[in-house]
Amino acid sequence: MTSAERFFCADSARLRGDPVAGTAPRGFVWILVEYRGRWPVNGFEGLDLDAATKTAVFSAAQAARARILLVKRPGRRRRGGHDQWAVLRRETSGAVRQQWGTWAREEDLTQIVTALETPGDLGGPSVLLVCAHGHHDPCCAVRGRPVARALAERWPDQVWECSHVGGDRFAANVVVVPDGVYYGGLDAESSVLTIEEHFFDRIHHHHLRGYTDMSPPQQAALAATLRRFGPAGRSDYVIAESVRDGDRWRVRLAGRAPHPERVDVELQAHRTPPCRLTCRGAPTGSVMVYEPTSVRAV
């Protein structure tokens, strides 16, 4: 095997020191579809399902700007019983809602269309999604599955392996929904510690990719604030203002006691040098990063 064949994007990202902050994709609604078979490279879109059903679900998801993820429980393949589906959402107010159902026939998945049109139940336990989509990128399986097993030992009812969530080079990736929080660069030990703190509403900058209701520069500003002033709850900081001046950003965060009332973060945006970003993607690529240059309470 040549060195090129042994390439793993997550190893290379760690060697380069790729920053994880500011890399969470934006989103408020997640659709989970339990599927115990082999996941296609493109996830739900590639499933061999009834065409009318798949089109209806896909169209409704696009209209709601929802992301569809295939999920399955970690470990050995579960036998018997109906598969589950869920619609999870975080409202702009910060409220979280969940709807769950089951499907035995493909046409049962049209329940998702109806669920997207109704508010759903408030609250409910958070769901831990661990990207383990090895058919999409080997790093997601190699690094994701041990993390899924470790988390499932602690929170067996809340953990699912899921299809591609983005940021393969940050494997293992864990997404907490409907909280809308992305973590990356995890292993079995750090994932348990990170999620323990998350559930105590103490979010640290370590491994934090971002909140999905913030833009990339805002996510980077939040992570810099947590690094400077310590961990905080999911709703303890909100974005008060974002100002762009060319390749520079100034983001003001409003904090809730005991955190600083206002924090100004200045960031410098720049593109990384071309490099190979994924195991199976384009030979070279470049991404935008937002480097904090100043963090101060005002």
Side-chain angles (χ1 to χ4, degrees), residues 126-129 174-183 195 198-199:
S126 298
V127 175
L128 305 177
L129 302 175
V174 174
V175 188
V176 187
V177 294
D179 306 37
V181 180
Y182 267 65
Y183 294 104
I195 297 304
H198 183 102
F199 285 161

Side-chain angles (χ1 to χ4, degrees), residues 251-268:
V251 178
R252 172 164 290 185
L253 296 96
R256 183 167 62 185
H259 309 289
E261 184 177 353
R262 290 188 300 274
V263 179
D264 275 357
V265 182
E266 296 181 1
L267 307 104
Q268 175 75 50

Side-chain angles (χ1 to χ4, degrees), residues 71-145:
V71 298
K72 59 186 174 184
R73 292 297 191 184
R76 292 185 177 181
R77 184 173 299 178
R78 182 170 64 87
R79 298 183 182 278
H82 292 170
D83 291 322
Q84 298 184 69
W85 61 263
V87 173
L88 313 174
R89 69 183 85 212
R90 180 181 177 87
E91 298 178 344
T92 54
S93 65
V96 296
R97 294 182 179 272
Q98 302 191 30
Q99 293 163 280
W100 290 82
T102 61
W103 67 286
R105 301 171 302 168
E106 295 178 8
E107 53 265 36
D108 294 341
L109 289 174
T110 56
Q111 298 172 87
I112 293 171
V113 177
T114 303
L116 287 168
E117 298 171 347
T118 55
D121 298 327
L122 278 170
S126 298
V127 175
L128 305 177
L129 302 175
V130 185
C131 183
H133 197 172
H135 197 43
H136 182 93
D137 192 287
C139 286
C140 297
V142 170
R143 293 179 177 267
R145 286 173 184 160

Side-chain angles (χ1 to χ4, degrees), residues 42-231:
N42 54 348
F44 180 82
E45 189 176 356
L47 291 181
D48 184 20
L49 298 177
D50 170 69
T53 299
K54 189 162 68 171
T55 298
V57 173
F58 195 71
S59 298
Q62 285 187 312
R65 297 183 178 180
R67 181 160 197 166
I68 308 176
L69 295 172
L70 301 180
V71 298
K72 59 186 174 184
R73 292 297 191 184
R76 292 185 177 181
R77 184 173 299 178
R78 182 170 64 87
R79 298 183 182 278
H82 292 170
D83 291 322
Q84 298 184 69
W85 61 263
V87 173
L88 313 174
R89 69 183 85 212
R90 180 181 177 87
E91 298 178 344
T92 54
S93 65
V96 296
R97 294 182 179 272
Q98 302 191 30
Q99 293 163 280
W100 290 82
T102 61
W103 67 286
R105 301 171 302 168
E106 295 178 8
E107 53 265 36
D108 294 341
L109 289 174
T110 56
Q111 298 172 87
I112 293 171
V113 177
T114 303
L116 287 168
E117 298 171 347
T118 55
D121 298 327
L122 278 170
S126 298
V127 175
L128 305 177
L129 302 175
V130 185
C131 183
H133 197 172
H135 197 43
H136 182 93
D137 192 287
C139 286
C140 297
V142 170
R143 293 179 177 267
R145 286 173 184 160
V147 166
R149 288 194 298 268
L151 292 176
E153 289 178 3
R154 185 68 179 275
W155 300 282
D157 296 330
Q158 295 172 254
V159 179
W160 298 85
E161 292 183 359
C162 73
S163 55
H164 178 60
V165 298
D168 306 345
R169 69 189 188 280
F170 300 125
N173 288 293
V174 174
V175 188
V176 187
V177 294
D179 306 37
V181 180
Y182 267 65
Y183 294 104
L186 294 166
D187 57 23
E189 181 179 3
S190 62
S191 65
V192 173
L193 294 173
T194 297
I195 297 304
E196 280 181 341
E197 286 292 278
H198 183 102
F199 285 161
F200 280 115
D201 207 23
R202 291 196 299 261
I203 295 176
H204 296 253
H205 73 278
H206 309 289
H207 304 291
L208 180 63
R209 291 183 58 188
Y211 295 174
T212 62
D213 55 353
M214 294 182 179
S215 67
Q218 293 169 347
Q219 294 172 12
L222 172 68
T225 299
L226 298 179
R227 178 190 292 270
R228 172 69 175 80
F229 297 107

